[in-house]
Amino acid sequence: MDMREPARKGFAGREALNAAFWDLGLRFQWDAATWGVLVQMETLEAQLAYYLEHWQPHLLSVYPPAFLANLVETRLALPGNSRLGMEAMTRA
């Protein structure tokens, strides 16, 4: 399996997710080994929860996985040159 691509249609690939993380100010990147574990999970929220629990546990006290998943999915849905900051997601 090519770990740069999603296991299921409709899921963002590792490179797209890494770009979205960077655009959002999340300074973590998923390498091929990490992606090999995360790509087997059903949702982005599950991927983020697992990643944060195992590699960035300090962020769980600040960002719930559901919030981050919504933020990343919103960023992925925008055109490439659009900007979206975390502060935009906290206002309803």
Side-chain angles (χ1 to χ4, degrees):
M1 173 196 278
D2 183 350
M3 293 301 172
R4 293 172 296 170
E5 297 302 321
R8 291 169 299 282
K9 190 172 183 147
F11 278 60
R14 181 172 63 95
E15 291 176 8
L17 287 167
N18 283 339
F21 297 152
W22 192 259
D23 287 348
L24 293 167
L26 300 169
R27 298 303 181 235
F28 49 82
Q29 299 287 282
W30 292 350
D31 61 17
T34 302
W35 183 245
V37 173
L38 299 177
V39 75
Q40 303 305 318
M41 297 177 185
E42 292 295 320
T43 65
L44 179 57
E45 183 178 345
Q47 291 173 331
L48 286 163
Y50 184 91
Y51 174 78
L52 293 174
E53 289 169 13
H54 290 87
W55 288 283
Q56 303 279 341
H58 62 284
L59 292 179
L60 285 169
S61 64
V62 181
Y63 303 116
F67 170 80
L68 288 179
N70 184 38
L71 188 65
V72 171
E73 288 170 348
T74 299
R75 176 63 191 105
L76 290 169
L78 294 174
N81 60 352
S82 296
R83 300 296 300 158
L84 175 70
M86 286 191 196
E87 66 278 358
M89 297 303 291
T90 60
R91 296 186 181 113

